[in-house]
Amino acid sequence: MTQQITPQLRQWIVEQAQAGHPPESVLKSMLASGWTEAVAIEAMEATLSSHLEQGAGQQELPPTVTVPDAQLDESPLYVDAGDRTVHVLNVMVNPRIVVFGSLLSDQECDELIALARPRLARSLTVATKTGGEEVNDDRTSSGMFFTRGESDVVRRLEARLARLLNWPEENGEGLQILHYRPGAEYKPHYDYFDPVEPGTPTILKRGGQRVATIVMYLAEPEKGGGTTFPDVNLVVAPKRGNAVFFSYDRPHPVTRTLHGGAPVLAGEKWIATKWLRERRFE
Ligand code: PD2
Ligand code: ZN
């Protein structure tokens, strides 16, 4: 039986490319749904080249910007972050994802949790339609924000992050603390603000786009609760004191920075997240 390249299949292939999925993963999905390899490759080549010829592929990507990063050029095992030597555990180039070890001491983790606990409320996410905030079923944690420089431990950590990631402290949003109980999760999302959403221009007035995220693990669950990067099949284990850093140089899925917090299966997970903006965050 020959396999037909239908208009629906062509449309699906174009959508996958537009969503930033690399050809290998599109091919893998097609093989998994029963397409023979030769037909799948031909369908992808024919569809994407004719799509490009029609000019539809000329859709402009947002321009790239400079992003924070640690100085890892000489593949160091440790980085001097001013008041603390931070361990480099894993480094991925594209997408840029770095796992750091021992970024925080146990005492700092405990202090942040103790300061946050009485101020927790059900987590809100930015309402992209309006630029305000809303409760969202994709995010079943509870959390709070510290203001920048609010206490000794917060100031110390902010200075350490600025030095580690070579990015001004003032470009950081206030530190956010999140608490996940068993069953709580954060479904995969991008941290940048979607340029096509109507609320985005308002959000950008406070310091431009988000360009990087660092998620720091303050208390580890017994099972589950890893930070997932579905586009690259990566799960970062939520080990206390460690952190995962990732950057995105344009607000677009081509950055492959889709990420989520997997459901906590046992125990409790506490994290601190710092989002870094292009410019001073007011
Ligand atoms: O808790 C996490 O692992 C997680 C996952 C995705 C945190 C965030 N996003 C975030 O704070 O942006
Ligand atoms: Zn996130």
Side-chain angles (χ1 to χ4, degrees):
M1 197 185 84
T2 58
Q3 295 184 316
Q4 292 293 328
I5 305 171
T6 60
Q8 288 79 7
L9 175 64
R10 273 195 239 116
Q11 190 189 344
W12 179 83
I13 291 172
V14 168
E15 282 166 5
Q16 301 310 299
Q18 283 170 340
H21 297 298
E24 313 85 72
S25 71
V26 180
L27 182 60
K28 217 165 124 192
S29 306
M30 289 182 70
L31 297 183
S33 25
W35 292 89
T36 57
E37 191 167 13
V39 177
I41 290 173
E42 217 237 283
M44 278 179 48
E45 280 176 355
T47 303
L48 294 175
S49 64
S50 83
H51 183 68
L52 286 172
E53 274 161 29
Q54 288 162 20
Q58 307 291 325
Q59 271 178 24
E60 295 244 323
L61 285 172
T64 59
V65 297
T66 304
V67 295
D69 207 5
Q71 180 47 264
L72 302 178
D73 287 351
E74 296 183 322
S75 306
L77 274 73
Y78 304 96
V79 180
D80 174 13
D83 67 338
R84 194 170 172 88
T85 299
V86 175
H87 303 205
V88 180
L89 301 183
N90 303 87
V91 178
M92 191 180 278
V93 174
N94 183 9
R96 181 52 145 183
I97 301 174
V98 182
V99 180
F100 293 109
S102 196
L103 174 60
L104 293 96
S105 69
D106 285 353
Q107 196 196 326
E108 288 168 333
C109 292
D110 290 342
E111 259 183 74
L112 288 168
I113 292 172
L115 292 169
R117 195 188 284 278
R119 291 162 59 182
L120 293 180
R122 172 77 193 269
S123 292
L124 302 174
T125 47
V126 173
T128 45
K129 303 274 178 275
T130 61
E133 287 188 316
E134 63 190 2
V135 172
N136 184 332
D137 282 342
D138 287 350
R139 194 180 192 196
T140 47
S141 54
S142 50
M144 55 79 66
F145 277 94
F146 290 116
T147 56
R148 233 177 15 230
E150 146 165 3
S151 66
D152 274 356
V153 63
V154 167
R155 270 194 297 279
R156 202 183 322 136
L157 182 55
E158 286 172 341
R160 190 179 301 159
L161 292 173
R163 173 95 175 248
L164 176 69
L165 302 172
N166 302 294
W167 206 250
E169 258 178 72
E170 62 181 30
N171 294 23
E173 296 182 31
L175 207 58
Q176 175 176 240
I177 307 294
L178 284 185
H179 178 213
Y180 300 79
R181 290 203 163 80
E185 65 180 314
Y186 196 171
K187 297 245 175 75
H189 59 272
Y190 298 97
D191 279 353
Y192 57 73
F193 303 109
D194 188 340
V196 307
E197 291 289 349
T200 295
T202 310
I203 295 166
L204 298 187
K205 285 192 189 131
R206 291 185 77 189
Q209 265 293 355
R210 286 181 178 162
V211 287
T213 306
I214 184 161
V215 174
M216 296 161 273
Y217 306 107
L218 306 179
E220 51 196 58
E222 282 141 44
K223 289 182 193 165
T227 304
T228 62
F229 292 84
D231 290 343
V232 288
N233 297 319
L234 175 68
V235 182
V236 178
K239 174 118 184 66
R240 176 175 165 94
N242 288 6
V244 60
F245 164 79
F246 54 100
S247 64
Y248 23 97
D249 62 2
R250 41 167 55 127
H252 192 277
V254 289
T255 57
R256 299 195 294 165
T257 53
L258 185 69
H259 66 286
V264 169
L265 302 177
E268 294 185 10
K269 172 186 172 189
W270 286 82
I271 61 162
T273 300
K274 175 69 104 176
W275 288 292
L276 304 176
R277 298 287 192 107
E278 289 174 271
R279 295 184 287 282
R280 180 181 172 86
F281 177 75
E282 299 294 351

